[in-house]
């Protein structure tokens, strides 16, 4: 039996949340029995990641979030291209003892291929980016974990200079500002960042409704600084990260300098993917598919970033990564090599060190740690 199919003994499931372990849900885009949501155990002393058991057999899970209380898991399901079925978000009750999942509610996203969702800091709503349609929408999250979809999806439009990847709008993410009053959508296809005000009835465009960024950059995902005035965007096509300043009163966003994510000596095909700040906000990490690496930046007091490292990701196609709750480890999902690579994080310098620890699992995608 392959290692990713082995289950932990029942006793281990009863003794969850020991001092040395954290637990996380991991989405797999494998086929058949290998697709679904898996509960994993991560040892924060050794850096070892292991599968506990499969907790939801649903096909094509893509992006995950935990509710503010940690009592429910939210999952966006990425249906196959060309299907007539709309995308949807599912909420699961989390068993507080075993961490097993029980489906609670489901809501349509008013679009197809929901690639990204984000939970409002207040915990009562999420926003979803539908890549294929292209639309963004909101879903109310009630205290019992049930979901109610908004009937006011926002349709995006536009194109840019790349003939294949920017022929039309491709919203790749939408993220709440830390205040919870604003949300920003990165549209890879139009080279725009759209801004919205959140209301219980749905998303409302700001005035102006978007910012046009450098042509051909392809904005993909966004990370906010906790000061609420700065944001960082990873550019999929341009292979760079751009800094932005935000006026939380008006919702306006201004483009700052951009920094390359891969060495100038690399001339192959690359599509940068994920971005996140370290919990201490002093370091920024981003992944590169094609160059298959992780880039590290030091974050200063102003908008500027300082590149300090570019390290191989330990596999191919690093679509997502997660930093564990202690801030000591980075776990990188390498989709094309069916592995999750583990890196230690130096707490003083922010630099990554590759370890010999890897989890084998088909087509790993998003991973979230249980609080």
């Amino acid at each position: 039996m392959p290692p990713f199919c082995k289950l932990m003994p029942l006793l281990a499931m009863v003794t969850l949340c020991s001092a040395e372990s954290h637990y996380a849900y991991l989405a797999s885009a494998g086929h058949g029995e290998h697709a679904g949501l898996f509960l994993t155990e991560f040892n924060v002393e050794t850096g070892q990641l292991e599968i506990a058991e499969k907790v939801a057999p649903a096909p094509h899970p893509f992006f995950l979030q935990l509710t503010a209380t940690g009592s429910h898991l939210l999952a966006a399901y990425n249906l196959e291209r060309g299907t007539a079925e709309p995308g949807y978000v599912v909420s699961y009750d989390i068993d507080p003892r075993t961490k097993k999942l029980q489906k609670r509610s489901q809501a349509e996203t008013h679009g197809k291929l929901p690639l990204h969702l984000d939970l409002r800091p207040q915990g009562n709503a999420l926003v979803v980016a539908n890549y294929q349609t292209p639309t963004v929408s909101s879903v109310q999250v009630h205290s019992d974990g049930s979901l109610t979809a908004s009937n006011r999806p926002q349709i995006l439009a536009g194109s840019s200079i790349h003939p294949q990847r920017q022929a039309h709008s491709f919203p790749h993410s939408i993220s709440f500002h830390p205040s919870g009053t604003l949300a920003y959508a990165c549209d890879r296809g139009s080279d725009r960042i759209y801004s919205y005000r959140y209301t219980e009835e749905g998303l409302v465009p700001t005035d102006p409704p978007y910012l046009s960024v450098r042509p051909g950059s392809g904005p993909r995902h966004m990370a906010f600084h906790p000061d609420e005035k700065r944001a960082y965007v990873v550019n999929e096509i341009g292979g760079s990260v751009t800094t932005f300043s935000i006026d939380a009163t008006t919702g306006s966003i201004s483009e700052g300098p951009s920094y390359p994510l891969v060495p100038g000596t690399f001339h192959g095909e690359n599509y940068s993917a994920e971005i996140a700040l370290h919990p201490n906000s002093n370091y920024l990490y981003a992944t590169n598919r094609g160059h298959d690496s992780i880039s590290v930046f030091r974050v200063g007091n102003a908008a500027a970033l300082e590149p300090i490292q570019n390290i191989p990701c330990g596999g191919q196609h690093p679509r997502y990564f997660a930093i564990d709750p202690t801030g000591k480890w980075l776990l990188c999902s390498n989709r094309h090599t069916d592995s999750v690579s583990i890196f230690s994080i130096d707490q003083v310098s922010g630099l990554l060190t590759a370890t010999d620890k890897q989890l084998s699992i088909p087509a790993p995608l998003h991973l979230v740690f249980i609080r």
Side-chain angles (χ1 to χ4, degrees):
M1 180 179 293
F4 52 78
C5 292
K6 295 180 180 178
L7 303 183
M8 290 173 59
L10 180 60
L11 178 61
M13 292 302 298
V14 175
T15 57
L16 290 174
C17 299
S18 65
E20 296 79 18
S21 294
H22 286 280
Y23 290 82
Y25 295 110
L26 174 62
S28 167
H31 298 285
E33 65 177 0
H34 305 319
L37 299 176
F38 292 81
L39 178 66
T40 65
E41 178 185 7
F42 182 66
N43 188 306
V44 298
E45 299 299 324
T46 66
Q48 186 71 43
L49 180 68
E50 296 180 346
I51 289 201
E53 66 175 330
K54 187 174 184 177
V55 287
H60 306 293
F62 214 82
F63 203 87
L64 311 175
Q65 289 272 278
L66 285 171
T67 57
T69 62
S71 57
H72 295 89
L73 178 71
L74 308 170
Y77 282 92
N78 179 1
L79 302 182
E80 293 286 0
R81 294 174 187 267
T83 179
E85 298 297 321
Y88 57 95
V89 176
V90 172
S91 69
Y92 296 95
D93 297 336
I94 299 175
D95 185 293
R97 182 177 62 87
T98 67
K99 308 306 178 187
K100 291 185 178 182
L101 302 177
Q102 179 67 43
K103 183 176 178 180
R104 161 68 61 172
S105 183
Q106 179 173 318
E108 291 188 8
T109 64
H110 294 290
K112 297 179 180 179
L113 293 184
L115 291 189
H116 183 270
L117 57 84
D118 191 36
L119 185 71
R120 190 175 186 226
Q122 289 82 349
N124 62 345
L126 58 86
V127 284
V128 186
N130 299 295
Y131 179 82
Q132 185 175 332
T133 312
T135 54
V136 295
S137 63
S138 62
V139 176
Q140 290 186 354
V141 181
H142 305 288
S143 58
D144 65 352
S146 60
L147 307 175
T148 302
S150 163
N151 290 319
R152 294 174 56 179
Q154 297 291 326
I155 301 173
L156 283 65
S159 60
S160 195
I161 63 174
H162 194 288
Q164 288 81 39
R165 301 183 69 80
Q166 294 185 311
H168 58 81
S169 175
F170 288 105
H172 221 298
S173 69
I174 182 167
S175 304
F176 272 110
H177 182 264
S179 67
T181 61
L182 298 161
Y184 295 88
C186 292
D187 186 348
R188 193 202 71 197
S190 67
D191 283 325
R192 294 172 180 171
I193 297 179
Y194 287 81
S195 54
Y196 302 93
R197 293 198 177 278
Y198 169 77
T199 71
E200 289 188 359
E201 291 73 32
L203 298 172
V204 178
T206 62
D207 183 17
Y210 60 81
L211 171 72
S212 294
V213 299
R214 292 177 179 86
S217 55
R220 178 183 171 95
H221 283 187
M222 175 181 279
F224 293 97
H225 193 279
D227 69 6
E228 303 188 6
K229 299 177 181 179
R230 286 177 280 174
Y232 309 94
V233 171
V234 62
N235 300 306
E236 177 177 325
I237 299 173
S240 60
V241 59
T242 303
T243 64
F244 291 84
S245 58
I246 295 174
D247 185 328
T249 302
T250 65
S252 64
I253 181 169
S254 303
E255 188 174 12
S258 291
Y259 302 83
L261 289 172
V262 298
T265 53
F266 178 76
H267 301 294
E269 194 173 66
N270 179 72
Y271 302 114
S272 298
E274 184 63 297
I275 188 168
L277 280 166
H278 189 274
N280 65 20
S281 303
N282 293 329
Y283 304 99
L284 184 74
Y285 302 87
T287 55
N288 305 292
R289 300 168 298 170
H291 189 252
D292 293 330
S293 63
I294 307 172
S295 300
V296 186
F297 294 84
R298 182 178 290 110
V299 178
N301 293 326
L305 297 173
E306 179 187 355
I308 57 174
Q309 187 181 30
N310 180 271
I311 184 173
C313 67
Q316 295 176 9
H317 200 86
R319 191 178 187 105
Y320 295 112
F321 67 86
I323 297 173
D324 86 300
T326 70
K328 297 179 180 179
W329 305 92
L330 184 147
L331 290 68
C332 183
S333 294
N334 301 307
R335 182 172 182 177
H336 288 178
T337 44
D338 301 330
S339 64
V340 179
S341 300
I342 315 299
F343 296 81
S344 63
I345 303 175
D346 187 288
Q347 300 299 285
V348 176
S349 68
L351 297 175
L352 301 177
T353 299
T355 72
D356 59 358
K357 306 293 192 301
Q358 274 203 349
L359 172 69
S360 295
I361 184 171
L365 293 174
H366 201 224
L367 181 149
V368 292
F369 280 92
I370 302 172
R371 290 187 288 274

